[in-house]
Amino acid sequence: MARRKSAGRTRAGGAGWKLRLMGVVLLGAMVAGAWGWWHLRHWTPERAIYPVQGVEIGVDDGPVSWKSIKAIGADFAYIDASASAFARDPRFVANFEAARAIGMQVGAVHRYDPCQPAEKQAANFVTTVPRDADLLPPVVDLEMLADNCPVKVSDAKVESELMTFLNQVETHAGKAVILKVSPGFESRYQVANKLDRNLWLVRDRLLPDYGGRPWTLWTANGALANEVAAAGLRWVVVQP
């Protein structure tokens, strides 16, 4: 009987030790996960490697202090300006004027809609963004696919309409556009190697390679935690 009680205590002690060990391991994993999340939210590429860094700003970032944006190390700003055929970012003018007022280099972004005619989208952009040789090259955000268009749009039509848009915007700006291409858009339409324009790729923390050729701009952290924007900033670097 004494031996059975002793064996029972031994088994109970062994089970308790295993539970404690599992608790320690679980706690360690939680701490590591929390640290990893914090580090990712606060991470930016090293200045020694990418000396020129900046932000993309739009209405979703809310009112921002441009002095604070410059103070945290932004050398330039791309500002969301227009989208599709008629939409305009309601904070574009305020952001544009405030960024230029403190001496930042500024450029404008149009979110391209493959469901809408290229000429109407180009008209939307050129009436929103002033013609100014001092501006950075305009950026075309290519993320939306034509899958849900009310009227079917073939892949060939997407490419031809996009070229029409680029030509009209470049005539207005006096310089070639930059293509901000999402992984999904590139996978579907493969524009990176069809269109001879500088690329802007997007991938948090990891170097993007889906363009198939060198990129010019990289959104390295899509939600950089800081005191400027509660939801985080889209932090962008330039290929040296």
Side-chain angles (χ1 to χ4, degrees), residues 13-63:
W17 178 83
K18 290 179 181 178
L19 287 173
R20 287 193 296 274
L21 179 59
M22 290 176 62
V24 170
V25 171
L26 180 59
L27 178 60
M30 292 173 63
V31 170
W35 182 89
W37 176 85
W38 184 94
H39 186 263
L40 179 61
R41 288 270 290 155
H42 292 78
W43 177 84
T44 59
E46 293 182 25
R47 286 274 177 179
I49 302 175
Y50 302 102
V52 181
Q53 305 192 12
V55 294
E56 181 182 356
I57 292 288
V59 66
D60 291 341
D61 298 300

Side-chain angles (χ1 to χ4, degrees), residues 132-155:
D132 189 331
D134 291 334
L135 294 182
L136 296 171
V139 167
V140 184
D141 188 341
L142 300 172
E143 182 177 5
M144 297 175 62
L145 306 181
D147 294 344
N148 297 317
C149 295
V151 178
K152 182 176 175 59
V153 179
S154 68
D155 290 1

